[in-house]
Amino acid sequence: MVSSEKVGVAIFHQFPQFAVYCGVHPRAAKRLIACEPFLYLSLKNMEPLAPIWRTYPYSSYPTHPNFQFDGSHTGVNQLGGVFVNGRPLPDSIRAQIVEMSQRGTRPCDISRQLKVSHGCVSKILGRFYSTGSVRPGVIGGSKPKVATPRVVECIAGYKRANPTMFAWEIRQKLMEDQICGEDNAPSVSSINRIVRNKDFQNFVSQNSRPTSSSSSSGSSQQSAQSTSRQLPPPPPQPPQSQQLAATVPSLTAPPTFAMPGTYSINGILGSLPHPSILDDKSFHLSHADMSLVYPTSGTIGPRVLEHDWPMRAPVCTILPNYCGGQL
DNA sequence: TTAGCCGTCACGCTTGAAGGAG
DNA sequence: CTCCTTCAAGCGTGACGGCTAA
C-alpha cells in the first residue's frame, strides 16, 4: 500500500524524489522514469519545478483542459510555502510532517520548517494519530440519494417479475412497498437510467427464475407485488467481474468502486472498469507495476475502510502533451 | 502581563457522482 | 444520449481563543 510507511521507505530507495513525490513504490517510479526521461530531468531540477510536482501526484490538474503550469492555481501562504487551494499536500510533505513529529519536533517548528500552516500540520497529525494514515481523504463525489442498493434490488425484482413494467409504475410500486417515500423516491428518469444500465440488465437476466409469477399472466401490479414480498437475497457476484478479478487481480483493489460510504449502480452490481481504461491512464504499466501504484494488500475488504487511498485515477498519470515535446 | 503554542473552525476552493434538462 | 447543475465530500489557509511558561 502506498501510505506513510511506503513513502517513508521510498525515501531510502532508488529514485527517491520521484517515488516520494508520486507516492508510489520506487520500482514503479523507476519504470515510469524509463518511460519518460523528461520526468527524471525535471526531478534533477526539482527546486524550480517543486510547485508543479507538489501538486502533481494527487491532482488531476494535468488532465484538466484548463490546467496550466503557470502557477495560476497555486498560492503562497504566510510562511512562504506554495500550496494549491483545495488540493492536498503531497505525500512527501505529509510524511515529513509525521516523521518530524515522531522525532519530537514541535508542531510550530514543523510548520515553520516545512512552510505549512500550523492548522494544516495540526490536522495532518491529528488524522495520522487517529487513523494511522498520512494520506488525504477522498475528495469529491456524492452519496447517491435515491439509487440505494435496496432500491436497485427492488427495481430488479420488479423487472424480473414484469419486464414490461413502466418506470412510473416502478416508482409507484417503490412507494407502495415503502421502499422509499415521496421525497426520496427516484425520479422516472433515474429509474430509466438504472434500468438501461447494462450491468443492471445482466443482473436481472442472470437472476431471473422461471417462476409462475414472472409469466405475463395477470396484471403487472400483482406480479410485482408477489415478487416484492420475496425479494431476492443480496446479488451474487456477476461472472463477468469474477473473470476480470481472476485475470487482473491487482486491478480489483483500486477503490474506485469501493469507496467507503458511497456506491454506484456498477458498484452495487459488482462490475469493474474495463482494464483498457486503467491502462490508458497508467502509461500501460504492467499489472505488477499497477499493483505498486495502486496500494493493494491483495484483498479488497479491509482496504476499503481505511480511507487510505483516495478514489482517483492512478497517481502517475502523465499526459503526452505535458511531457512530450518539451525536450 | 506577555508571548508563543496549539486546537478549532469558517472560508474559499476542487472534485466527482447523482440527477435533471433538453 | 449528452451536457449541465447540484451537492456533499475533502483540501489548506488564516483567524480566533484558550492554555502555558517565562
Side-chain angles (χ1 to χ4, degrees):
Chain A
M1 85 192 225
V2 179
S3 68
S4 53
E5 62 264 32
K6 181 157 283 186
V7 169
V9 167
I11 294 170
F12 303 101
H13 280 68
Q14 203 172 7
F15 304 104
Q17 288 175 314
F18 182 80
V20 168
Y21 268 78
C22 289
V24 300
H25 192 280
R27 261 165 51 200
K30 186 176 181 178
R31 187 175 178 86
L32 283 166
I33 290 170
C35 292
E36 187 49 72
F38 173 69
L39 297 177
Y40 186 51
L41 293 174
S42 302
L43 287 159
K44 281 183 173 177
N45 304 294
M46 178 68 77
E47 194 52 38
L49 290 176
I52 296 170
W53 281 94
R54 284 179 179 187
T55 69
Y56 191 72
Y58 294 102
S59 71
S60 56
Y61 290 164
T63 65
H64 193 280
N66 293 333
F67 180 78
Q68 295 174 338
F69 289 121
D70 60 359
S72 61
H73 288 257
T74 63
V76 179
N77 62 23
Q78 292 176 337
L79 300 168
V82 177
F83 71 97
V84 181
N85 198 8
R87 307 299 298 138
L89 289 171
D91 273 354
S92 59
I93 303 296
R94 306 176 83 92
Q96 279 183 58
I97 290 172
V98 171
E99 191 185 331
M100 291 172 74
S101 174
Q102 288 178 334
R103 284 203 307 256
T105 311
R106 292 180 307 172
C108 61
D109 294 327
I110 296 173
S111 171
R112 278 192 286 260
Q113 287 182 33
L114 298 181
K115 298 179 178 179
V116 174
S117 69
H118 89 271
C120 181
V121 170
S122 174
K123 190 191 284 187
I124 289 173
L125 288 177
R127 176 193 288 268
F128 175 74
Y129 290 122
S130 64
T131 68
S133 171
V134 296
R135 297 209 52 116
V138 178
I139 302 174
S142 59
K143 293 176 184 173
K145 291 196 172 88
V146 293
T148 61
R150 178 165 162 77
V151 167
V152 173
E153 279 181 30
C154 288
I155 294 173
Y158 299 156
K159 270 290 178 184
R160 274 198 298 276
N162 182 7
T164 61
M165 201 171 182
F166 290 115
W168 64 267
E169 287 180 300
I170 293 173
R171 187 173 190 275
Q172 202 169 14
K173 192 83 185 75
L174 284 170
M175 288 188 288
E176 274 178 18
D177 292 346
Q178 297 183 338
I179 304 301
C180 42
E182 184 79 40
D183 52 340
N184 64 344
S187 66
V188 171
S189 61
S190 297
I191 293 172
N192 276 326
R193 188 187 294 115
I194 293 169
V195 169
R196 274 200 309 271
N197 187 290
K198 198 174 179 181
D199 294 309
F200 179 89
Q201 291 170 4
N202 290 338
F203 176 66
V204 170
S205 62
Q206 283 166 12
N207 288 277
S208 62
R209 278 173 267 169
T211 60
S212 57
S213 65
S214 64
S215 67
S216 58
S217 64
S219 67
S220 62
Q221 200 83 324
Q222 273 180 323
S223 54
Q225 271 178 346
S226 63
T227 325
S228 67
R229 291 201 188 92
Q230 43 172 346
L231 280 175
Q237 188 89 342
Q240 185 188 5
S241 60
Q242 286 175 356
Q243 197 176 357
L244 251 179
T247 310
V248 282
S250 65
L251 293 184
T252 62
T256 301
F257 292 83
M259 192 175 86
T262 67
Y263 39 82
S264 65
I265 302 301
N266 286 341
I268 293 166
L269 300 170
S271 62
L272 288 164
H274 194 278
S276 64
I277 298 171
L278 296 171
D279 277 343
D280 283 343
K281 288 185 174 180
S282 61
F283 242 160
H284 300 284
L285 291 177
S286 69
H287 292 314
D289 287 322
M290 290 304 294
S291 68
L292 297 175
V293 175
Y294 284 129
T296 168
S297 56
T299 56
I300 301 175
R303 171 97 287 107
V304 170
L305 301 174
E306 285 186 26
H307 290 257
D308 204 37
W309 190 255
M311 181 186 72
R312 59 180 79 258
V315 292
C316 290
T317 301
I318 298 163
L319 292 190
N321 62 358
Y322 162 46
C323 300
Q326 293 286 326
L327 290 176

